[in-house]
Structures are given as structure tokens and as C-alpha cells.
Amino acid sequence: MSHSDHHIERNSLAAKVEKEVEVKAQKCYQCGKCSAGCPVAEDMDFPPSMVLRMLQTEIPANDEKILKSHSIWLCVTCEMCLTRCPMEIDIPSMMDYLRQKSRSESKENPKAKNIIAFHKSFLSSIKHTGRLYELGLILDYKRQSLNMTQDMSLGPKMLSRGKLHIFPEKIKDMAHMARIFKKTSK
Amino acid sequence: MKIGIYPGCSLEGSARDYNQSVFALAKAFDIEPVQIPDWNCCGATAAHNLNKELSLALPARILALAEKHGLDEIVVPCAACYSRLMVTQHELKIHPELKNRICEVIEMDYKGTSKVINVIEWIDKYIIPKLEEKVKKPFNYKVACYYGCLLVRPNKVLNYDRVEDPQTMDVVMNKIGATSLDFAFKTECCGAGLSISRTDIVSKLSGKIIEDAEHRGADAIIVACPMCHSNLDMRRADINKYWKTEFKIPVIFVTQAIGLAIGLTPEEVGFKRHFVEVKIS
Ligand code: SF4
Ligand code: SF4
């Protein structure tokens, strides 16, 4: 059977990835270049090429493993895999989709707790000021991740170098920012 | 001459040194950078990780504001912001329906007419032509130019420099008298946005970059991204702890190096704000 007439299960994760981000997992021929160049592959439970292989199987148990994986959260969107993939498979866009899918189905890997907490704190900072308020971000992240002691020495050093604002700098049209957040919240 | 500028959040905070050197350089070359009025955060990694629509709407507001105020060329010194703005422009160009939806979200017209350029392009276009007459003190050092990820990737969208062994920053550095070294980690990732949530990974990845630069005998690592700078400079204590090393090589923004070459003081280009001491002057 050739790739072009491969029948895709309509409900598989691969089909959703294809529909939502136009990434065809079936095109992957497992050369492994993506995993070889991925800076975080060795920290992942499944390196990028394996995520592709699991998608190709269209087996629900594998789809589940992907959405519950640590890998999708460790991906830092460095874009190395896409650059080197001979089939130009847009793995970074696919990872964005998988993260959002994992979250909407409440399947986030517990090991990714801090990474997700950081992203959430970041967005909440922008939501409230329009710009990133780094001190607020750090404090909110500490609260969410319960990592109270981490980076204690960094704050004062940043302050003395003029790298940290004590107060947030708000944009003028905060109402506009609020509407953008509202309209894009699902 | 005037040019639009999108500083982005880090330049106002943790990358004040970068900001200072960009504006000092502009002044020395009679360039007046005009900030996009009421600019917001581009959403960075967090937005595209958690919410695709938001990750396009935030940069779209910035670009729409630039259009509204007639800024048809915008320099974006932060490589991460640069990448987000370029990716948004690209996505909205190839998906007209998505563009309509995003215009609805931001309640603004967006045409995609403002040209976004990165800091090296800005230097090439506005600084290099007048550089020779201004260089007072050649930057006589061996340097490892570190491009990181987002200045060159995704290459199909950015369409800038060679993706595996970029040269633009090396060319600029050689023009001010430096010797740019061959360097294997030019475009390897520093760990990017994991700095706070997974400091261990950032320490590991950034340490490898620094190790290669030191090993090749570089006097400094040259960067053009605030995220790369903060991982290699601000995180140096974590890196040295992770690798049990004593890496001392300074990390300098390309704009700081040019600043020194044209006679600005270390103070004026912001060296005092670094975590790793810069003995170059
Ligand atoms: S580089 Fe592309 S083709 Fe090769 S394994 Fe990765 S996704 Fe598949
Ligand atoms: S974009 Fe993600 S998956 Fe691809 S190489 Fe970078 S970290 Fe790995």
C-alpha cells in the first residue's frame, strides 16, 4: 500500500494532527534525523521520531501515550527537527497542537508540572499588564510550582543590575488586552 | 533617519544591557528608533504552547499598531520576538481565513505591510555602510558567534542566512576587527524558555555551548538574543555547578561589541549589568 492511499482512521490522533496543523505523520520514514538533532531528546520519554511512529500506528493506546507524554512539554520549539527533516514534517507545530490537546483533555504528564506552571504564570502576567512583568512572573511561578527557594539569589542580583522592575509596566489600552484574552480563551 | 522598533519585554527588563547598546549604537549612527506605540508582549513560548489563537493575536496587535502609525520597517532586536512576529506574518499571509479571524479578535485592520528585520539585518543595512569611518578601536579579539535557534529558524519562514552554518554575524564581527572562530554550536539550542522551570536542562545545554567556545580559545561569545544571553550569562553559576567547571568566558551582544569599536565606553554599552565579568574594553 502506498502512502497516498493509506487509509487514515478519522478519529485517530494522526488524523486530527493532519486536519488541524496540516502535518502528515504518514510521510515520516523514520530516518531519525529529528531525534538526533533534538536538544532535549535524551530527557524525553519518546524522542520526536518515536512520537511520529506512534502516531502512524493509529492505535488509541499509542495516541493516549503521546498526549500523556513528558516529551511534548520538554520540546522547546527550537525548530531543529523541522530544519533537518528530509520530508519537511513540521514537528514543532505538531507539538504545539499536541500540548493544547493534552491540556484540553486534562492529560498533562505530572512531570511537566513546573513547565506548565511557568507557561501559565507567563500568560497570566501578560493578561494583567500587557507586557511581561518578570518579578510578578517569578513570584506567581513560585506560588504555582511551590518552588519557594529556587533562584533566591538571582532576584537581588538582577535588581542591583537594573534588570528587574519592582512595579509592573502596564500598557495603556489594557481593556483591549482583556478583550483579546477573552476572545481567545476556549 | 527614523525606524520603527519593537524592543519586547526582555529589553525593558532582564536585557537592559542589550537595550542600552542598541539605542547607544542608533544614536551614534544618527538613527532614531521609534517604539511602536503601546506595544504589548509577543506572547513568547508560553502563548504558542498553550493557545494558538492567542499566539497569533498578540503579535498581530503589535504589527497592526505599527501599520496604523505608519512604521513600515521595524527592527526587532530580540531573536525570539523576531521569530514570533515573522511566523505570525507568514501564517496570516498563507491562511486568509485565519487572518480574518485574528483581525476580528484584535478589532484592527492588519495588512502585513510592515517589514520586520532582525538586529543583524539592521546593522547590515544602516550601520555597516558608515562603519569604517567610525571604527576607532578595532575589536581585536577571537570570538565565537552564537546565533541560537530563532535568528535562523524556521528557515523557510525567516529566509535569513544559512541555517546550519550561518555567517552574517561573523561577517559583522570581522568588519570591526575581530577574528571569528569556527564553532560547532553556532545554532544549537541553549534551552530557551526552560530557564526557570528546568534549570538543569538549560545548564546542561548552555554548558556545552560555552565549553566549545572556550575550548577553541574564544575571548568572548557574541550573541543577538536576550534569551541566549540570559541563559549563558545570568545562568553561569548554575552551569558551572552542573558541569563542575569554572567557565569565565563573557557573553557579549553584537551591538555592545560594535559600540566598543566605535569608541563607546563599557559603561555606555551596559557591561556593568552582566553577571559574568567582562574584562574586554
Ligand atoms: S526527520 Fe522527518 S522523516 Fe526523519 S524520522 Fe524525523 S520526522 Fe521522520
Ligand atoms: S522543536 Fe522540539 S522536538 Fe524539534 S528538535 Fe526542537 S525540542 Fe526537539
Side-chain angles (χ1 to χ4, degrees):
Chain A
M1 188 168 56
S2 77
H3 281 158
S4 57
D5 56 23
H6 179 96
H7 174 72
I8 298 180
E9 287 291 331
R10 274 202 300 125
N11 264 323
S12 69
L13 191 54
K16 288 172 194 148
V17 166
E18 183 168 338
K19 182 166 174 276
E20 297 297 329
V21 279
E22 297 163 23
V23 171
K24 292 192 175 79
Q26 304 302 341
K27 280 186 6 193
C28 166
Y29 60 76
Q30 291 292 296
C31 70
K33 275 185 132 184
C34 52
S35 299
C38 174
V40 286
E42 62 185 54
D43 297 281
M44 286 175 161
D45 34 8
F46 314 109
S49 55
M50 205 191 287
V51 173
L52 263 308
R53 184 66 197 111
M54 287 157 78
L55 280 172
Q56 289 177 340
T57 65
E58 301 191 272
I59 295 170
N62 282 343
D63 290 354
E64 192 75 3
K65 274 189 201 157
I66 295 171
L67 295 178
K68 288 186 173 164
S69 72
H70 194 193
S71 300
I72 56 177
W73 296 103
L74 283 172
C75 163
V76 286
T77 326
C78 73
E79 309 269 353
M80 191 64 102
C81 49
L82 169 59
T83 305
R84 292 184 178 167
C85 173
M87 299 307 288
E88 297 183 24
I89 296 173
D90 191 347
I91 299 175
S93 294
M94 178 185 88
M95 291 292 192
D96 274 345
Y97 173 76
L98 294 174
R99 288 185 271 260
Q100 287 161 49
K101 186 88 181 142
S102 166
R103 240 165 88 68
S104 67
E105 296 183 11
S106 306
K107 290 183 176 152
E108 300 100 315
N109 187 301
K111 284 195 211 131
K113 188 179 117 266
N114 287 356
I115 297 175
I116 299 168
F118 178 78
H119 292 326
K120 286 206 238 162
S121 301
F122 191 103
L123 284 191
S124 118
S125 170
I126 313 173
K127 186 176 177 179
H128 293 113
T129 52
R131 289 184 192 171
L132 180 63
Y133 168 41
E134 286 166 318
L135 184 60
L137 163 71
I138 295 167
L139 294 176
D140 189 58
Y141 168 73
K142 280 179 181 290
R143 196 176 49 78
Q144 290 214 33
S145 65
L146 302 174
N147 248 330
M148 293 321 233
T149 54
Q150 189 203 334
D151 288 335
M152 284 295 273
S153 63
L154 211 54
K157 286 186 186 153
M158 286 178 77
L159 272 177
S160 69
R161 286 166 174 80
K163 289 189 165 219
L164 211 53
H165 290 285
I166 300 280
F167 299 107
E169 204 178 315
K170 285 193 183 180
I171 66 164
K172 287 193 205 87
D173 200 350
M174 271 313 299
H176 191 197
M177 199 48 49
R179 291 198 300 280
I180 290 176
F181 269 84
K182 187 144 184 257
K183 285 188 193 163
T184 52
S185 71
K186 276 156 259 167
Chain B
M1 53 101 29
K2 286 188 182 186
I3 184 166
I5 186 167
Y6 175 72
C9 306
S10 355
L11 270 82
E12 302 270 295
S14 56
R16 283 275 295 280
D17 24 29
Y18 191 19
N19 200 36
Q20 203 176 326
S21 63
V22 167
F23 278 86
L25 205 55
K27 195 170 166 211
F29 284 83
D30 293 318
I31 302 166
E32 190 192 326
V34 180
Q35 293 203 25
I36 300 173
D38 209 35
W39 58 267
N40 52 276
C41 170
C42 73
T45 317
H48 73 78
N49 268 243
L50 300 186
N51 185 337
K52 180 172 179 189
E53 229 173 51
L54 183 66
S55 78
L56 295 170
L58 292 171
R61 179 180 183 270
I62 300 163
L63 294 165
L65 281 170
E67 283 173 23
K68 188 176 148 194
H69 293 278
L71 300 168
D72 30 74
E73 189 170 44
I74 318 156
V75 52
V76 186
C78 169
C81 301
Y82 162 69
S83 176
R84 288 326 305 164
L85 294 184
M86 291 291 284
V87 166
T88 300
Q89 253 182 358
H90 175 78
E91 289 277 313
L92 301 187
K93 188 171 163 192
I94 60 168
H95 297 119
E97 281 159 43
L98 188 59
K99 185 187 116 178
N100 294 341
R101 164 71 189 143
I102 296 296
C103 285
E104 234 174 75
V105 170
I106 62 171
E107 305 158 6
M108 291 172 85
D109 278 340
Y110 164 86
K111 293 193 204 71
T113 46
S114 292
K115 189 172 164 50
V116 174
I117 61 173
N118 65 45
V119 78
I120 311 288
E121 290 174 292
W122 176 68
I123 292 168
D124 270 339
K125 194 166 167 189
Y126 299 104
I127 308 275
I128 295 290
K130 294 193 213 153
L131 189 64
E132 221 168 309
E133 57 192 78
K134 292 231 182 201
V135 172
K136 292 200 180 103
K137 218 173 127 199
F139 194 85
N140 276 326
Y141 295 97
K142 284 182 281 180
V143 297
C145 292
Y146 175 58
Y147 297 72
C149 304
L150 300 174
L151 198 60
V152 288
R153 297 192 293 265
N155 59 320
K156 289 265 158 64
V157 174
L158 305 182
N159 235 323
Y160 179 70
D161 212 337
R162 307 201 314 212
V163 71
E164 291 286 355
D165 183 18
Q167 295 295 327
T168 46
M169 210 188 317
D170 294 74
V171 170
V172 167
M173 288 307 296
N174 291 337
K175 284 207 167 128
I176 59 169
T179 308
S180 79
L181 303 173
D182 231 2
F183 171 48
F185 285 75
K186 271 186 169 178
T187 60
E188 291 294 325
C189 180
C190 66
L194 293 179
S195 183
I196 291 177
S197 55
R198 287 298 303 268
T199 312
D200 57 330
I201 293 182
V202 165
S203 303
K204 177 170 72 179
L205 299 177
S206 294
K208 291 185 190 173
I209 297 161
I210 295 171
E211 202 269 336
D212 192 44
E214 282 215 348
H215 181 75
R216 287 165 194 261
D219 301 309
I221 298 174
I222 309 294
V223 297
C225 170
M227 200 153 61
C228 299
H229 191 268
S230 81
N231 282 342
L232 299 176
D233 177 71
M234 224 157 74
R235 285 288 175 205
R236 185 64 61 86
D238 296 290
I239 294 167
N240 279 333
K241 201 167 146 201
Y242 183 94
W243 287 103
K244 301 190 177 61
T245 46
E246 285 174 33
F247 294 136
K248 288 195 175 71
I249 187 169
V251 187
I252 298 178
F253 287 106
V254 61
T255 43
Q256 292 178 313
I258 302 174
L260 288 186
I262 62 162
L264 298 178
T265 65
E267 176 95 50
E268 283 170 310
V269 296
F271 280 171
K272 278 213 168 143
R273 300 182 193 276
H274 288 209
F275 277 61
V276 178
E277 193 192 349
V278 192
K279 294 196 175 124
I280 288 171
S281 60

